[in-house]
Amino acid sequence: MLKELVRNVFGTRHDREVKRLTPKVADINSHWARLQNVSEDELRGQTLKFRGIIRERTGEIEQEIEELREKRRHSETASERESIGSQIAALEKELYNAVQDVLDEILPEAYATVKEACRRLVGSEAQVTGQTQIWDMVPYDVQLIGGMALHEGKVAEMATGEGKTLVATMPLYLNALTGRGVHLVTVNTYLAQRDSEWMGHLYKYLGLSVDCIDL
């Protein structure tokens, strides 16, 4: 009885998450409206622009880490190497937090870039597991919410046919901008191959490289 009352007043956890992310959906769609008017070269150039922003915000920390690693390689005592290792670990944590901050900041425009790339690819052909596939997908608002949930490390439960494959493209694109590589794990070899080729049509359009690891 009490649980039902609380749920009726405050909504379910799912309802609260959707309410929290809805303003960000508006931000994404605002950027998307603007990007519909840019040239093909400018849209493709978004990837380089985002990477430049990330480098600008994190380059100094990365340089410090590299200098310390070089110093550790030439250190002569175990105690010195241990001390340098502690400094590197602290800087790596600082770097991780800095990267997350900038990714969160550029997320609306990055997701909008993916959405606009999807729109421009509509009607284009991709070779997927030996078959010609016509691209016909543009993310809906609910898929934007799913993509934001995934970026935050949450589970986004979706039924078959609700577009999980497309949802994953947005957090994958965003996190790939760091240049560190991103992995998507799927349930079988066929889906891994299919989705790497199918969604690869989108990634390659935006200047990313794609591969499929088949173990």
Side-chain angles (χ1 to χ4, degrees):
M1 182 73 173
L2 178 59
K3 287 183 179 179
E4 184 177 348
L5 177 62
V6 171
R7 186 163 56 248
N8 290 337
V9 173
F10 297 103
T12 65
R13 183 175 180 180
H14 172 268
D15 294 334
R16 294 193 296 273
E17 280 296 292
V18 170
K19 184 176 181 179
R20 180 179 67 85
L21 294 173
T22 296
K24 291 186 179 181
V25 171
D27 289 343
I28 294 169
N29 286 326
S30 176
H31 282 291
W32 180 49
R34 174 182 58 81
L35 290 171
Q36 290 180 57
N37 299 314
V38 306
S39 68
E40 198 83 358
D41 287 342
E42 190 173 349
L43 181 64
R44 290 172 179 263
Q46 288 283 98
T47 298
L48 290 177
K49 183 183 86 170
F50 293 138
R51 284 179 165 166
I53 294 170
I54 294 169
R55 281 195 303 271
E56 182 180 346
R57 295 276 290 275
T58 63
E60 186 175 328
I61 303 173
E62 289 189 329
Q63 184 176 347
E64 286 184 59
I65 291 172
E66 187 53 43
E67 288 173 354
L68 283 171
R69 285 175 176 162
E70 184 66 20
K71 183 178 179 181
R72 184 172 60 178
R73 281 193 287 269
H74 294 89
S75 63
E76 297 182 353
T77 66
S79 59
E80 184 181 13
R81 287 193 293 272
E82 184 178 351
S83 174
I84 294 172
S86 297
Q87 294 176 62
I88 291 173
L91 282 171
E92 286 177 337
K93 183 176 181 179
E94 183 181 345
L95 175 61
Y96 174 82
N97 291 332
V99 168
Q100 293 308 305
D101 286 345
V102 71
L103 290 183
D104 290 343
E105 181 181 309
I106 66 176
L107 183 151
E109 189 175 357
Y111 277 34
T113 298
V114 174
K115 183 171 181 176
E116 176 58 14
C118 288
R119 188 188 73 84
R120 296 196 187 194
L121 286 172
V122 168
S124 63
E125 296 181 353
Q127 290 300 309
V128 180
T129 63
Q131 303 294 322
T132 299
Q133 184 79 37
I134 305 299
W135 186 274
D136 62 353
M137 297 177 288
V138 180
Y140 294 108
D141 287 355
V142 67
Q143 293 170 317
L144 299 178
I145 290 172
M148 286 187 281
L150 290 179
H151 172 65
E152 293 180 357
K154 297 182 173 67
V155 174
E157 183 178 0
M158 302 178 72
T160 299
E162 289 186 336
K164 294 184 290 293
T165 304
L166 186 62
V167 165
T169 61
M170 290 171 282
L172 281 167
Y173 172 73
L174 177 65
N175 285 273
L177 294 170
T178 65
R180 294 171 177 265
V182 182
H183 292 83
L184 172 65
V185 180
T186 191
V187 297
N188 61 50
T189 299
Y190 168 74
L191 289 178
Q193 186 66 43
R194 185 200 71 175
D195 292 351
S196 67
E197 295 175 358
W198 195 11
M199 298 302 107
H201 187 54
L202 170 64
Y203 298 134
K204 291 173 184 176
Y205 177 88
L206 289 170
L208 302 181
S209 59
V210 183
D211 204 349
C212 178
I213 301 173
D214 180 7
L215 298 179

